[in-house]
């Protein structure tokens, strides 16, 4: 048991210190202290600008933490650039260079201080970094690889002091996104000299490109905005997208099949994303080979977003470029280029499809919580496994008995196909969770424990999955272990501070713990993070209003949940109870009839036994009595 006042959390840690500090102090103590204080203030200001917190700054060291690894690395890069500029004003023997290490790890927090291996690893990475450089751990690298415009050099598994296992380390380089392994045949000093020469050459190229971009290159023509009034069809109430046929930029017309295959694979994958309206291939491929404007596609097909792509092949090398455009604003929401060696054409197609699918989900539906999915899908069955897990999640989100049974089959198939993928176990845990709440299991407690076991198994594979902690939070609420439920909800939010789902289930844990008013702002933030939330979100939002006695607002939330999924029996049940509490008997009985249509064997007593999540049992009794008043038995 940890001492009282200690709290564990996952956080991004930045550790910085001065290279050659002792020599600087020996040469001129007063000047060194003056420069050090000025430079530490610069870093501290940048930490705040990047939504971080300075934890401590003893001597020449500075320790900071961030909720996001992206923020931590961007802060580190900004700090090194600013200090490099400041150093140009100093004599060579007085230049002060910091080394920075960044790690994503578990820490112990006591009041405002943090301790543990997570901090120690960041400090060891800092010592590996070159003066003026940045070194990040493998856990941090996995979170930023595709999100920041930097290159990374893999330094291998490093044995560091007082850490049992070797730590994977990457050097951050301010070059285009190229990740490479460290050459085994080069000595470290020689490798550094080559790196310096390469960096100098890269700076010349970057300067030339910047000059071209700023002064010489003709400005790219803006995308003409689509007019909603000119739409042939009304825009759907969910994000809508059309994927255009990819343009063949190669001289070889035989590459058309690869272009078509890429677009078709992306359309198929996107069609499985819940709450996303995707135009069918037959419609978008009518534009193939024709000069087409985004505005035209948007207005003719009635969509807001358009994905364009091109493919260019030269020998065994292939370049694929994709861009996502908001037709109503003319903005390019996302652009990416993939340069690959063409070894296995189908594996390449799957890889790019996964990356595009993940990027679009991040931009249009789930937000940053979707960004971690891509790393779990590798190899020949990667895309097939991705789509199966995504389809299973889709069925689970509808919260109906029919869809729930299909979800089990998909979850089991995905585990058989990719047993090392934690998301399959989370889906199966989600099935058992619904099995418990639906009352379709003969052993409710065993089913609940099985769900907990599966969620914990997923987290044993990767403890950084927010969805795993989200699921555990709800399961602990069902077991009436409210402190654990709230703690898991807090952990999910710390892992995914911009995740709608994390905020939703943290809020739900507060509702069940008897704190519904506290929960409402977290639900409101979740809506802001994901305006196209699924049916379950509005169901839980209604629980908060019901617990707070705000019945009219509870009715609105439950009706929204039913609008998204008409056969959601949980929403019909709570809406019936709410109408009954308000004295709206006719509406309560109409909802009771819907409940019996969905489950003719529905029993209030059986329902009440399954929904004992509330810390105060009288909350469940109050709802049960309202259901009986509505005519249910």
């Amino acid at each position: 048991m940890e001492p009282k006042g200690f709290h564990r959390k996952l956080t991004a840690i930045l550790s910085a210190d001065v290279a050659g500090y002792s020599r600087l102090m020996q040469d001129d103590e007063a000047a060194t202290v003056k420069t050090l204080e000025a430079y530490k203030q610069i870093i501290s200001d940048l930490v705040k600008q990047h939504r971080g917190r300075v934890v401590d700054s003893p001597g020449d060291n500075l320790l900071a933490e961030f909720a996001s690894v992206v923020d931590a690395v961007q802060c580190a890069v900004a700090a090194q650039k600013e200090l490099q500029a400041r150093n140009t004003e100093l004599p060579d023997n007085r230049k002060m260079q910091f080394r920075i290490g960044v790690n994503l790890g578990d820490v112990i927090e006591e009041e405002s201080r943090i301790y543990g291996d997570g901090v120690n690893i960041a400090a060891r990475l800092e010592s590996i970094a070159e003066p003026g450089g940045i070194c990040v751990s493998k856990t941090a690298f996995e979170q930023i690889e595709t999100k920041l415009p930097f290159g990374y050099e893999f330094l291998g598994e490093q044995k560091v002091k007082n850490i049992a296992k070797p730590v994977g380390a990457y050097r951050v380089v301010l070059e285009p996104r190229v990740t490479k392994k460290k050459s085994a045949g080069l000595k470290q000093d020689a490798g550094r000299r080559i790196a310096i020469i390469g960096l100098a050459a890269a700076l010349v190229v970057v300067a030339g490109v910047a000059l071209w971009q700023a002064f010489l290159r003709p400005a790219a023509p803006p995308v003409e905005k689509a007019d909603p009034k000119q739409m042939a069809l009304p825009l759907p109430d969910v994000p809508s997208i059309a994927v255009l046929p990819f343009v063949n930029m190669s001289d070889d017309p035989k590459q058309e099949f690869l272009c078509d295959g890429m677009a078709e694979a992306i359309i198929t994958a996107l069609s499985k994303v819940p709450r996303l309206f995707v135009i069918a291939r037959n419609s978008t491929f009518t534009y193939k080979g024709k000069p087409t404007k985004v505005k035209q596609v948007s207005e003719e097909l009635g969509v807001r977003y358009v994905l364009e792509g091109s493919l260019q092949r030269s020998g065994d090398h292939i370049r694929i470029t994709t861009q996502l455009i908001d037709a109503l604003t003319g903005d390019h929401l996302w652009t990416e280029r993939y340069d690959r060696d063409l070894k296995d054409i189908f594996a390449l197609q799957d890889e790019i499809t996964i990356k595009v699918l993940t990027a679009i989900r991040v931009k249009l539906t789930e937000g940053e919580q979707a960004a971690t999915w891509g790393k779990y899908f590798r190899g020949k069955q990667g895309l097939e496994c991705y789509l199966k897990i995504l389809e299973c999640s889709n069925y689970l989100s509808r919260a109906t008995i029919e869809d729930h049974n299909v979800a089990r089959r998909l979850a089991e198939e995905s585990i058989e196909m990719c047993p090392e993928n934690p998301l399959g176990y989370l889906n199966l845990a989600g099935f058992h969770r619904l099995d418990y709440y639906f009352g379709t299991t003969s052993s409710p407690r065993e089913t609940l424990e099985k769900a907990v076991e599966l969620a914990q198994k997923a987290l044993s594979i990767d403890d950084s999955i927010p969805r795993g902690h989200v699921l555990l939070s709800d399961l602990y609420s069902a077991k009436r272990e409210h402190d654990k439920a709230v703690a898991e909800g807090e952990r999910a939010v710390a892992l995914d501070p911009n995740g709608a789902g994390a905020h939703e289930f943290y809020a739900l844990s507060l509702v069940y713990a008897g704190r519904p008013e506290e929960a409402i702002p977290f639900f409101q933030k979740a809506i802001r993070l994901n305006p196209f939330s699924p049916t379950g979100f509005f169901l839980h939002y209604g629980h908060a209003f019901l617990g707070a006695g705000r019945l009219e607002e509870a009715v609105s939330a439950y009706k929204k949940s039913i609008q998204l999924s008409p056969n959601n029996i949980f929403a019909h049940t709570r809406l019936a109870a709410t109408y009954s509490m308000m004295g709206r008997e006719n509406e309560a009985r109409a909802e009771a009839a819907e409940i019996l249509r969905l489950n003719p064997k529905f029993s209030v007593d059986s329902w009440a036994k399954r929904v004992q999540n509330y810390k105060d049992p009288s909350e469940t009794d109050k709802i049960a009595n309202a259901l009986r008043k509505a005519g249910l038995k």
Side-chain angles (χ1 to χ4, degrees):
M1 181 178 295
E2 292 174 353
K4 186 176 180 181
F6 278 43
H7 168 67
R8 283 195 173 274
K9 66 178 183 179
L10 189 72
T11 193
I13 308 115
L14 181 153
S15 180
D17 78 348
V18 177
Y21 180 65
S22 298
R23 178 192 63 77
L24 290 168
M25 286 291 286
Q26 186 175 0
D27 290 349
D28 190 334
E29 187 173 293
T32 299
V33 170
K34 182 179 178 180
T35 304
L36 176 64
E37 292 304 313
Y39 281 20
K40 285 171 69 174
Q41 186 60 52
I42 289 169
I43 299 175
S44 297
D45 290 344
L46 286 168
V47 168
K48 292 178 183 177
Q49 289 175 27
H50 288 82
R51 297 168 289 280
R53 176 179 75 91
V54 174
V55 177
D56 201 2
S57 58
D60 67 321
N61 180 261
L62 184 142
L63 182 69
E65 68 167 345
F66 301 77
S68 162
V69 182
V70 171
D71 285 343
V73 175
Q74 286 182 321
C75 176
V77 171
Q80 293 294 31
K81 286 184 175 180
E82 179 63 25
L83 298 184
Q84 183 182 22
R86 297 296 181 104
N87 275 335
T88 60
E89 303 171 4
L90 298 175
D92 287 345
N93 66 329
R94 300 307 310 158
K95 295 183 190 301
M96 182 176 289
Q97 292 183 304
F98 278 76
R99 300 173 298 186
I100 298 179
V102 177
N103 179 42
L104 174 65
D106 192 80
V107 300
I108 296 174
E109 183 177 46
E110 181 187 22
E111 297 180 349
S112 62
R113 305 293 295 274
I114 57 175
Y115 309 91
D117 284 351
V119 176
N120 295 338
I121 289 173
R124 302 297 180 257
L125 292 168
E126 160 212 293
S127 66
I128 295 172
E130 297 176 350
I134 304 164
C135 186
V136 303
S137 66
K138 185 177 180 181
T139 57
F141 169 75
E142 289 174 348
Q143 302 299 315
I144 62 172
E145 179 181 5
T146 61
K147 298 177 187 174
L148 294 176
F150 310 127
Y152 308 94
E153 179 185 357
F154 183 52
L155 303 177
E157 299 289 332
Q158 302 284 329
K159 292 184 179 180
V160 296
K161 184 178 178 182
N162 295 331
I163 302 297
K165 295 182 178 179
V167 177
Y170 287 80
R171 182 172 71 89
V172 180
V173 290
L174 304 182
E175 297 172 359
R177 286 184 181 141
V178 176
T179 301
K180 53 188 177 181
K181 294 184 178 180
K182 189 173 182 180
S183 299
L186 291 177
K187 293 183 178 179
Q188 188 172 11
D189 289 343
R192 287 185 178 179
R193 285 196 295 272
I194 291 172
I196 292 170
I197 293 170
L199 179 58
L203 289 174
V204 172
V205 173
V206 169
V209 170
L211 179 64
W212 168 261
Q213 295 274 5
F215 302 108
L216 304 177
R217 190 188 67 171
V223 174
E224 189 178 356
K225 299 178 184 178
D227 183 355
K229 295 179 181 178
Q230 300 299 319
M231 296 281 183
L233 299 164
L235 283 173
D237 58 359
V238 296
S240 51
I241 185 171
V243 180
L244 292 177
F246 277 40
V247 177
N248 180 13
M249 304 293 288
S250 305
D251 295 331
D252 183 3
K254 294 180 181 179
Q255 302 311 314
E256 289 292 333
F257 83 96
L258 184 54
C259 292
D260 293 350
M262 186 64 66
E264 289 178 15
I266 292 170
I267 291 170
T268 300
L270 289 176
S271 68
K272 298 181 184 296
V273 177
R275 305 285 292 155
L276 184 64
F277 185 93
V278 185
I279 296 295
R281 175 217 188 271
N282 290 347
S283 295
T284 57
F285 268 61
T286 60
Y287 297 99
K288 183 175 175 63
K290 301 176 183 178
T292 306
K293 293 184 177 181
V294 168
K295 177 181 186 297
Q296 175 190 351
V297 175
S298 172
E299 292 177 355
E300 290 181 353
L301 299 180
V303 295
R304 176 164 185 169
Y305 303 101
V306 176
L307 180 76
E308 296 181 322
S310 65
L311 181 149
Q312 186 173 10
R313 179 175 179 177
S314 177
D316 290 332
H317 185 77
I318 192 168
R319 170 173 292 174
I320 296 172
T321 303
T322 53
Q323 57 183 358
L324 179 65
I325 301 167
D326 184 337
L328 297 188
T329 65
D331 294 334
H332 288 69
L333 299 182
W334 165 76
T335 301
E336 190 59 270
R337 187 180 74 187
Y338 308 98
D339 290 298
R340 297 290 189 275
D341 290 329
L342 191 56
K343 296 177 181 177
D344 184 333
I345 192 169
F346 297 109
L348 172 65
Q349 181 174 297
D350 288 355
E351 178 197 349
I352 302 302
T353 300
I354 288 173
K355 289 183 179 294
V356 172
L357 175 61
T358 301
I360 290 176
R361 290 176 61 219
V362 169
K363 285 293 182 183
L364 302 187
T365 55
E366 293 97 319
E368 286 297 328
Q369 61 185 317
T372 58
W373 272 50
K375 70 180 182 180
Y376 299 123
F377 301 93
R378 302 282 190 259
K380 294 182 178 180
Q381 289 185 302
L383 180 60
E384 187 179 353
C385 188
Y386 191 116
L387 296 180
K388 195 170 288 290
I389 285 177
L390 184 59
E391 189 174 12
C392 178
S393 299
N394 191 7
Y395 276 102
L396 286 172
S397 71
R398 297 173 188 168
T400 70
I401 294 175
E402 294 79 7
D403 292 325
H404 159 253
N405 291 329
V406 177
R408 176 173 194 159
R409 173 179 58 79
L410 291 168
E412 290 173 342
E413 287 175 0
S414 71
I415 290 173
E416 184 178 354
M417 182 183 298
C418 39
E420 299 304 316
N421 192 312
L423 299 178
Y425 297 102
L426 287 180
N427 276 344
L428 192 56
F431 162 81
H432 285 288
R433 166 182 169 269
L434 285 179
D435 205 24
Y436 171 79
Y437 283 128
F438 279 133
T440 48
T441 173
S442 58
S443 305
R445 285 294 148 186
E446 288 182 17
T447 298
L448 192 59
E449 291 300 336
K450 183 64 176 177
V452 171
E453 178 188 330
L454 286 163
Q456 290 174 338
K457 180 174 178 59
L459 290 174
S460 72
I461 297 173
D462 185 351
D463 186 59
S464 69
I465 309 175
R467 185 179 166 196
H469 297 283
V470 160
L471 187 55
L472 271 182
S473 176
D474 191 54
L475 293 171
Y476 282 136
S477 289
K479 295 179 69 176
R480 299 187 68 190
E481 298 178 11
H482 296 289
D483 290 343
K484 287 185 178 181
V486 171
E488 289 293 337
E490 290 175 343
R491 182 73 182 277
V493 170
L495 285 168
D496 192 11
N498 292 313
H503 283 81
E504 173 195 350
F505 278 87
Y506 174 51
L508 185 61
S509 71
L510 294 175
V511 171
Y512 289 138
R515 299 153 60 183
E517 285 288 359
E518 290 180 52
I520 290 171
F522 288 99
F523 279 118
Q524 291 169 340
K525 183 172 182 180
I527 288 179
R528 182 67 184 85
L529 291 167
N530 182 11
F532 303 102
S533 297
T535 179
F537 170 83
F538 292 98
L539 171 72
H540 299 150
Y541 197 18
H543 295 354
F545 287 127
L546 183 61
R550 295 161 60 170
L551 302 187
E552 286 289 354
E553 291 164 290
V555 166
S556 295
Y558 291 138
K559 288 175 75 172
K560 178 67 174 177
S561 180
I562 292 168
Q563 179 185 341
L564 293 171
S565 181
N567 291 333
N568 185 338
I569 192 171
F570 304 118
H572 284 292
T573 302
R574 292 303 183 106
L575 184 56
T578 308
Y579 278 143
S580 181
M581 292 176 188
M582 298 171 74
R584 295 164 62 170
E585 295 181 6
N586 291 338
E587 291 158 300
R589 291 184 178 278
E591 287 301 317
E594 283 294 292
I595 294 167
L596 293 174
R597 175 182 69 82
L598 294 167
N599 182 7
K601 297 181 180 180
F602 181 88
S603 159
V604 174
D605 289 341
S606 176
W607 174 88
K609 288 178 182 178
R610 296 192 309 276
V611 190
Q612 291 289 346
N613 301 32
Y614 291 98
K615 187 174 184 178
D616 181 356
S618 68
E619 291 294 325
T620 302
D621 293 341
K622 182 168 63 176
I623 298 170
N625 290 334
L627 290 173
R628 293 188 183 96
K629 185 180 175 183
L632 294 166
K633 297 180 181 179

